[in-house]
Amino acid sequence: MNKTEFLSCLEKKLAGLPENEVEKTRSFYLEMIDDRSEDGMSEEEAVAAMGNIDDIVKAAMLELPLTTLMKTKMRPKARLKAWEIVLLVLGFPLWFTLLAAFVVVILSVYVSVWAVIISLYATVAALVLSGLAGIFGGLFCLFQNFAASLFILGSGLICGGIGILAFFGVTALSVWLVKLTGLFLRWIKSLFITREVDYEINN
């Protein structure tokens, strides 16, 4: 496959996506092919180095925002017939409810994850602030009640230490949760992409 055939096939498989996204993907791979050709590869070798074109299409679609991908896949590819319009109207309560539930599930996952992250950081902040309050309180009471001031000071140091250690743990956990939501979003996108790519291959 030469460069022209590769780019033509790529554009065909990306048909239906926003024009700016198609052009951005096309320009990216055109530049990669040209760079490899300048490095001494033949045009066919440079094209082969790009990999499987279906994998390229899936990767490009995964980079799209979910809303853009949903709009693209839900847009009719041809003019709807009268009976199809009637079915859409009659089935509106069903398909709209399912779509709304789908969106609510996605939003619920994101809200839940960020609620957990915010709650954990709030707990860390409370521990650190309690530690600082205990340290200052213990120092303030040092000459009034020595035993009580030592207890307060020790408690403050313990809370502060736990808060500092917890900060690193919460940060690591937050990074993992953010990555997990990213994987969840990519899985949601793949539900649309796999169906679309398989359809194009079979047709």
Side-chain angles (χ1 to χ4, degrees), residues 39-67:
D39 290 338
M41 283 187 176
S42 67
E43 189 172 291
E44 287 73 17
E45 289 174 337
V47 169
M50 297 298 100
N52 186 283
I53 195 165
D54 291 320
D55 292 336
I56 292 173
V57 171
K58 288 182 180 180
M61 290 182 175
L62 283 173
E63 295 302 318
L64 291 173
L66 180 59
T67 52

PDB file of all heavy atoms in Angstrom, residues 39-67:
ATOM      1  N   ASP A  39      14.102   9.553   6.037  1.00  0.00           N
ATOM      2  CA  ASP A  39      15.134   8.781   6.734  1.00  0.00           C
ATOM      3  C   ASP A  39      15.653   7.615   5.896  1.00  0.00           C
ATOM      4  O   ASP A  39      16.522   6.867   6.355  1.00  0.00           O
ATOM      5  CB  ASP A  39      14.577   8.240   8.055  1.00  0.00           C
ATOM      6  CG  ASP A  39      14.343   9.353   9.061  1.00  0.00           C
ATOM      7  OD1 ASP A  39      14.964  10.422   8.916  1.00  0.00           O
ATOM      8  OD2 ASP A  39      13.516   9.161   9.984  1.00  0.00           O
ATOM      9  N   GLY A  40      15.116   7.440   4.686  1.00  0.00           N
ATOM     10  CA  GLY A  40      15.629   6.405   3.783  1.00  0.00           C
ATOM     11  C   GLY A  40      14.681   5.258   3.511  1.00  0.00           C
ATOM     12  O   GLY A  40      14.982   4.380   2.701  1.00  0.00           O
ATOM     13  N   MET A  41      13.511   5.224   4.164  1.00  0.00           N
ATOM     14  CA  MET A  41      12.543   4.159   3.893  1.00  0.00           C
ATOM     15  C   MET A  41      11.852   4.403   2.559  1.00  0.00           C
ATOM     16  O   MET A  41      11.680   5.543   2.133  1.00  0.00           O
ATOM     17  CB  MET A  41      11.473   4.114   4.996  1.00  0.00           C
ATOM     18  CG  MET A  41      11.897   3.478   6.288  1.00  0.00           C
ATOM     19  SD  MET A  41      10.456   3.314   7.407  1.00  0.00           S
ATOM     20  CE  MET A  41      11.192   2.445   8.783  1.00  0.00           C
ATOM     21  N   SER A  42      11.445   3.301   1.928  1.00  0.00           N
ATOM     22  CA  SER A  42      10.596   3.444   0.747  1.00  0.00           C
ATOM     23  C   SER A  42       9.196   3.833   1.205  1.00  0.00           C
ATOM     24  O   SER A  42       8.864   3.711   2.386  1.00  0.00           O
ATOM     25  CB  SER A  42      10.545   2.134  -0.034  1.00  0.00           C
ATOM     26  OG  SER A  42       9.874   1.129   0.713  1.00  0.00           O
ATOM     27  N   GLU A  43       8.380   4.292   0.265  1.00  0.00           N
ATOM     28  CA  GLU A  43       7.035   4.728   0.623  1.00  0.00           C
ATOM     29  C   GLU A  43       6.226   3.580   1.215  1.00  0.00           C
ATOM     30  O   GLU A  43       5.503   3.753   2.196  1.00  0.00           O
ATOM     31  CB  GLU A  43       6.327   5.290  -0.617  1.00  0.00           C
ATOM     32  CG  GLU A  43       5.006   5.967  -0.307  1.00  0.00           C
ATOM     33  CD  GLU A  43       4.416   6.680  -1.505  1.00  0.00           C
ATOM     34  OE1 GLU A  43       4.996   7.697  -1.925  1.00  0.00           O
ATOM     35  OE2 GLU A  43       3.374   6.202  -2.018  1.00  0.00           O
ATOM     36  N   GLU A  44       6.360   2.380   0.620  1.00  0.00           N
ATOM     37  CA  GLU A  44       5.620   1.210   1.102  1.00  0.00           C
ATOM     38  C   GLU A  44       6.091   0.804   2.496  1.00  0.00           C
ATOM     39  O   GLU A  44       5.287   0.427   3.359  1.00  0.00           O
ATOM     40  CB  GLU A  44       5.791   0.029   0.132  1.00  0.00           C
ATOM     41  CG  GLU A  44       5.035   0.156  -1.173  1.00  0.00           C
ATOM     42  CD  GLU A  44       5.660   1.179  -2.119  1.00  0.00           C
ATOM     43  OE1 GLU A  44       6.851   1.537  -1.894  1.00  0.00           O
ATOM     44  OE2 GLU A  44       4.976   1.617  -3.067  1.00  0.00           O
ATOM     45  N   GLU A  45       7.413   0.882   2.743  1.00  0.00           N
ATOM     46  CA  GLU A  45       7.945   0.539   4.064  1.00  0.00           C
ATOM     47  C   GLU A  45       7.477   1.547   5.118  1.00  0.00           C
ATOM     48  O   GLU A  45       7.152   1.162   6.248  1.00  0.00           O
ATOM     49  CB  GLU A  45       9.475   0.513   4.020  1.00  0.00           C
ATOM     50  CG  GLU A  45      10.046  -0.667   3.245  1.00  0.00           C
ATOM     51  CD  GLU A  45      11.551  -0.574   3.099  1.00  0.00           C
ATOM     52  OE1 GLU A  45      12.091   0.555   3.183  1.00  0.00           O
ATOM     53  OE2 GLU A  45      12.199  -1.618   2.908  1.00  0.00           O
ATOM     54  N   ALA A  46       7.456   2.810   4.731  1.00  0.00           N
ATOM     55  CA  ALA A  46       7.004   3.855   5.657  1.00  0.00           C
ATOM     56  C   ALA A  46       5.540   3.659   6.019  1.00  0.00           C
ATOM     57  O   ALA A  46       5.143   3.821   7.181  1.00  0.00           O
ATOM     58  CB  ALA A  46       7.222   5.230   5.038  1.00  0.00           C
ATOM     59  N   VAL A  47       4.725   3.288   5.027  1.00  0.00           N
ATOM     60  CA  VAL A  47       3.295   3.043   5.280  1.00  0.00           C
ATOM     61  C   VAL A  47       3.127   1.822   6.184  1.00  0.00           C
ATOM     62  O   VAL A  47       2.332   1.825   7.129  1.00  0.00           O
ATOM     63  CB  VAL A  47       2.535   2.857   3.959  1.00  0.00           C
ATOM     64  CG1 VAL A  47       1.116   2.339   4.224  1.00  0.00           C
ATOM     65  CG2 VAL A  47       2.475   4.170   3.188  1.00  0.00           C
ATOM     66  N   ALA A  48       3.894   0.757   5.904  1.00  0.00           N
ATOM     67  CA  ALA A  48       3.805  -0.459   6.708  1.00  0.00           C
ATOM     68  C   ALA A  48       4.200  -0.198   8.163  1.00  0.00           C
ATOM     69  O   ALA A  48       3.668  -0.825   9.085  1.00  0.00           O
ATOM     70  CB  ALA A  48       4.689  -1.554   6.110  1.00  0.00           C
ATOM     71  N   ALA A  49       5.122   0.744   8.357  1.00  0.00           N
ATOM     72  CA  ALA A  49       5.581   1.061   9.710  1.00  0.00           C
ATOM     73  C   ALA A  49       4.494   1.748  10.540  1.00  0.00           C
ATOM     74  O   ALA A  49       4.594   1.811  11.769  1.00  0.00           O
ATOM     75  CB  ALA A  49       6.821   1.946   9.647  1.00  0.00           C
ATOM     76  N   MET A  50       3.458   2.247   9.892  1.00  0.00           N
ATOM     77  CA  MET A  50       2.372   2.910  10.611  1.00  0.00           C
ATOM     78  C   MET A  50       1.523   1.915  11.399  1.00  0.00           C
ATOM     79  O   MET A  50       0.826   2.285  12.339  1.00  0.00           O
ATOM     80  CB  MET A  50       1.467   3.684   9.640  1.00  0.00           C
ATOM     81  CG  MET A  50       2.140   4.822   8.888  1.00  0.00           C
ATOM     82  SD  MET A  50       2.770   6.110   9.985  1.00  0.00           S
ATOM     83  CE  MET A  50       4.514   5.675  10.033  1.00  0.00           C
ATOM     84  N   GLY A  51       1.554   0.640  10.988  1.00  0.00           N
ATOM     85  CA  GLY A  51       0.770  -0.370  11.676  1.00  0.00           C
ATOM     86  C   GLY A  51      -0.565  -0.626  11.002  1.00  0.00           C
ATOM     87  O   GLY A  51      -0.852  -0.113   9.910  1.00  0.00           O
ATOM     88  N   ASN A  52      -1.384  -1.426  11.679  1.00  0.00           N
ATOM     89  CA  ASN A  52      -2.701  -1.779  11.154  1.00  0.00           C
ATOM     90  C   ASN A  52      -3.609  -0.561  11.117  1.00  0.00           C
ATOM     91  O   ASN A  52      -3.753   0.146  12.111  1.00  0.00           O
ATOM     92  CB  ASN A  52      -3.319  -2.879  12.026  1.00  0.00           C
ATOM     93  CG  ASN A  52      -4.628  -3.391  11.466  1.00  0.00           C
ATOM     94  OD1 ASN A  52      -5.655  -2.737  11.596  1.00  0.00           O
ATOM     95  ND2 ASN A  52      -4.580  -4.557  10.845  1.00  0.00           N
ATOM     96  N   ILE A  53      -4.238  -0.323   9.978  1.00  0.00           N
ATOM     97  CA  ILE A  53      -5.034   0.890   9.815  1.00  0.00           C
ATOM     98  C   ILE A  53      -6.272   0.881  10.721  1.00  0.00           C
ATOM     99  O   ILE A  53      -6.727   1.940  11.178  1.00  0.00           O
ATOM    100  CB  ILE A  53      -5.432   1.076   8.326  1.00  0.00           C
ATOM    101  CG1 ILE A  53      -5.924   2.522   8.119  1.00  0.00           C
ATOM    102  CG2 ILE A  53      -6.483   0.067   7.903  1.00  0.00           C
ATOM    103  CD1 ILE A  53      -5.995   2.915   6.668  1.00  0.00           C
ATOM    104  N   ASP A  54      -6.824  -0.299  11.006  1.00  0.00           N
ATOM    105  CA  ASP A  54      -7.981  -0.373  11.908  1.00  0.00           C
ATOM    106  C   ASP A  54      -7.590   0.018  13.334  1.00  0.00           C
ATOM    107  O   ASP A  54      -8.378   0.645  14.053  1.00  0.00           O
ATOM    108  CB  ASP A  54      -8.585  -1.778  11.893  1.00  0.00           C
ATOM    109  CG  ASP A  54      -9.250  -2.100  10.562  1.00  0.00           C
ATOM    110  OD1 ASP A  54      -9.903  -1.199  10.006  1.00  0.00           O
ATOM    111  OD2 ASP A  54      -9.118  -3.235  10.078  1.00  0.00           O
ATOM    112  N   ASP A  55      -6.365  -0.351  13.737  1.00  0.00           N
ATOM    113  CA  ASP A  55      -5.882   0.052  15.058  1.00  0.00           C
ATOM    114  C   ASP A  55      -5.676   1.562  15.114  1.00  0.00           C
ATOM    115  O   ASP A  55      -5.929   2.191  16.142  1.00  0.00           O
ATOM    116  CB  ASP A  55      -4.560  -0.659  15.378  1.00  0.00           C
ATOM    117  CG  ASP A  55      -4.740  -2.154  15.563  1.00  0.00           C
ATOM    118  OD1 ASP A  55      -5.868  -2.575  15.903  1.00  0.00           O
ATOM    119  OD2 ASP A  55      -3.762  -2.898  15.370  1.00  0.00           O
ATOM    120  N   ILE A  56      -5.222   2.131  13.994  1.00  0.00           N
ATOM    121  CA  ILE A  56      -5.036   3.582  13.917  1.00  0.00           C
ATOM    122  C   ILE A  56      -6.378   4.292  14.065  1.00  0.00           C
ATOM    123  O   ILE A  56      -6.503   5.292  14.777  1.00  0.00           O
ATOM    124  CB  ILE A  56      -4.363   3.969  12.586  1.00  0.00           C
ATOM    125  CG1 ILE A  56      -2.924   3.454  12.562  1.00  0.00           C
ATOM    126  CG2 ILE A  56      -4.395   5.479  12.370  1.00  0.00           C
ATOM    127  CD1 ILE A  56      -2.226   3.629  11.221  1.00  0.00           C
ATOM    128  N   VAL A  57      -7.398   3.760  13.386  1.00  0.00           N
ATOM    129  CA  VAL A  57      -8.737   4.353  13.445  1.00  0.00           C
ATOM    130  C   VAL A  57      -9.280   4.288  14.873  1.00  0.00           C
ATOM    131  O   VAL A  57      -9.832   5.272  15.387  1.00  0.00           O
ATOM    132  CB  VAL A  57      -9.692   3.634  12.464  1.00  0.00           C
ATOM    133  CG1 VAL A  57     -11.133   4.099  12.669  1.00  0.00           C
ATOM    134  CG2 VAL A  57      -9.259   3.899  11.025  1.00  0.00           C
ATOM    135  N   LYS A  58      -9.131   3.144  15.522  1.00  0.00           N
ATOM    136  CA  LYS A  58      -9.615   3.002  16.899  1.00  0.00           C
ATOM    137  C   LYS A  58      -8.901   3.967  17.827  1.00  0.00           C
ATOM    138  O   LYS A  58      -9.526   4.601  18.691  1.00  0.00           O
ATOM    139  CB  LYS A  58      -9.407   1.564  17.386  1.00  0.00           C
ATOM    140  CG  LYS A  58     -10.348   0.553  16.739  1.00  0.00           C
ATOM    141  CD  LYS A  58     -10.110  -0.834  17.313  1.00  0.00           C
ATOM    142  CE  LYS A  58     -11.048  -1.852  16.683  1.00  0.00           C
ATOM    143  NZ  LYS A  58     -10.841  -3.214  17.233  1.00  0.00           N
ATOM    144  N   ALA A  59      -7.570   4.096  17.654  1.00  0.00           N
ATOM    145  CA  ALA A  59      -6.799   4.997  18.508  1.00  0.00           C
ATOM    146  C   ALA A  59      -7.245   6.444  18.307  1.00  0.00           C
ATOM    147  O   ALA A  59      -7.368   7.211  19.269  1.00  0.00           O
ATOM    148  CB  ALA A  59      -5.307   4.858  18.203  1.00  0.00           C
ATOM    149  N   ALA A  60      -7.506   6.826  17.057  1.00  0.00           N
ATOM    150  CA  ALA A  60      -7.949   8.194  16.767  1.00  0.00           C
ATOM    151  C   ALA A  60      -9.310   8.464  17.392  1.00  0.00           C
ATOM    152  O   ALA A  60      -9.560   9.544  17.935  1.00  0.00           O
ATOM    153  CB  ALA A  60      -8.000   8.411  15.256  1.00  0.00           C
ATOM    154  N   MET A  61     -10.202   7.480  17.334  1.00  0.00           N
ATOM    155  CA  MET A  61     -11.538   7.650  17.906  1.00  0.00           C
ATOM    156  C   MET A  61     -11.495   7.710  19.428  1.00  0.00           C
ATOM    157  O   MET A  61     -12.283   8.428  20.054  1.00  0.00           O
ATOM    158  CB  MET A  61     -12.452   6.517  17.450  1.00  0.00           C
ATOM    159  CG  MET A  61     -12.818   6.572  15.978  1.00  0.00           C
ATOM    160  SD  MET A  61     -13.952   5.230  15.521  1.00  0.00           S
ATOM    161  CE  MET A  61     -14.313   5.654  13.815  1.00  0.00           C
ATOM    162  N   LEU A  62     -10.575   6.955  20.026  1.00  0.00           N
ATOM    163  CA  LEU A  62     -10.465   6.963  21.487  1.00  0.00           C
ATOM    164  C   LEU A  62     -10.022   8.325  22.016  1.00  0.00           C
ATOM    165  O   LEU A  62     -10.258   8.649  23.184  1.00  0.00           O
ATOM    166  CB  LEU A  62      -9.478   5.885  21.946  1.00  0.00           C
ATOM    167  CG  LEU A  62      -9.991   4.435  21.935  1.00  0.00           C
ATOM    168  CD1 LEU A  62      -8.861   3.477  22.237  1.00  0.00           C
ATOM    169  CD2 LEU A  62     -11.130   4.263  22.939  1.00  0.00           C
ATOM    170  N   GLU A  63      -9.363   9.108  21.174  1.00  0.00           N
ATOM    171  CA  GLU A  63      -8.907  10.427  21.593  1.00  0.00           C
ATOM    172  C   GLU A  63     -10.018  11.470  21.524  1.00  0.00           C
ATOM    173  O   GLU A  63      -9.864  12.577  22.048  1.00  0.00           O
ATOM    174  CB  GLU A  63      -7.726  10.874  20.722  1.00  0.00           C
ATOM    175  CG  GLU A  63      -6.476  10.027  20.877  1.00  0.00           C
ATOM    176  CD  GLU A  63      -5.971   9.982  22.307  1.00  0.00           C
ATOM    177  OE1 GLU A  63      -5.972  11.037  22.964  1.00  0.00           O
ATOM    178  OE2 GLU A  63      -5.602   8.899  22.781  1.00  0.00           O
ATOM    179  N   LEU A  64     -11.129  11.130  20.878  1.00  0.00           N
ATOM    180  CA  LEU A  64     -12.238  12.079  20.771  1.00  0.00           C
ATOM    181  C   LEU A  64     -12.976  12.201  22.101  1.00  0.00           C
ATOM    182  O   LEU A  64     -13.053  11.233  22.857  1.00  0.00           O
ATOM    183  CB  LEU A  64     -13.229  11.612  19.698  1.00  0.00           C
ATOM    184  CG  LEU A  64     -12.774  11.648  18.236  1.00  0.00           C
ATOM    185  CD1 LEU A  64     -13.831  10.992  17.364  1.00  0.00           C
ATOM    186  CD2 LEU A  64     -12.542  13.076  17.776  1.00  0.00           C
ATOM    187  N   PRO A  65     -13.529  13.382  22.401  1.00  0.00           N
ATOM    188  CA  PRO A  65     -14.406  13.492  23.571  1.00  0.00           C
ATOM    189  C   PRO A  65     -15.605  12.557  23.420  1.00  0.00           C
ATOM    190  O   PRO A  65     -16.075  12.325  22.298  1.00  0.00           O
ATOM    191  CB  PRO A  65     -14.845  14.961  23.538  1.00  0.00           C
ATOM    192  CG  PRO A  65     -13.813  15.665  22.722  1.00  0.00           C
ATOM    193  CD  PRO A  65     -13.354  14.665  21.704  1.00  0.00           C
ATOM    194  N   LEU A  66     -16.083  12.012  24.530  1.00  0.00           N
ATOM    195  CA  LEU A  66     -17.185  11.056  24.471  1.00  0.00           C
ATOM    196  C   LEU A  66     -18.427  11.665  23.824  1.00  0.00           C
ATOM    197  O   LEU A  66     -19.111  10.998  23.047  1.00  0.00           O
ATOM    198  CB  LEU A  66     -17.511  10.563  25.886  1.00  0.00           C
ATOM    199  CG  LEU A  66     -18.654   9.542  25.990  1.00  0.00           C
ATOM    200  CD1 LEU A  66     -18.348   8.303  25.173  1.00  0.00           C
ATOM    201  CD2 LEU A  66     -18.907   9.178  27.445  1.00  0.00           C
ATOM    202  N   THR A  67     -18.711  12.929  24.136  1.00  0.00           N
ATOM    203  CA  THR A  67     -19.901  13.566  23.558  1.00  0.00           C
ATOM    204  C   THR A  67     -19.794  13.661  22.041  1.00  0.00           C
ATOM    205  O   THR A  67     -20.762  13.418  21.320  1.00  0.00           O
ATOM    206  CB  THR A  67     -20.087  14.977  24.145  1.00  0.00           C
ATOM    207  OG1 THR A  67     -18.861  15.722  24.014  1.00  0.00           O
ATOM    208  CG2 THR A  67     -20.471  14.903  25.609  1.00  0.00           C
TER     209      THR A  67
END
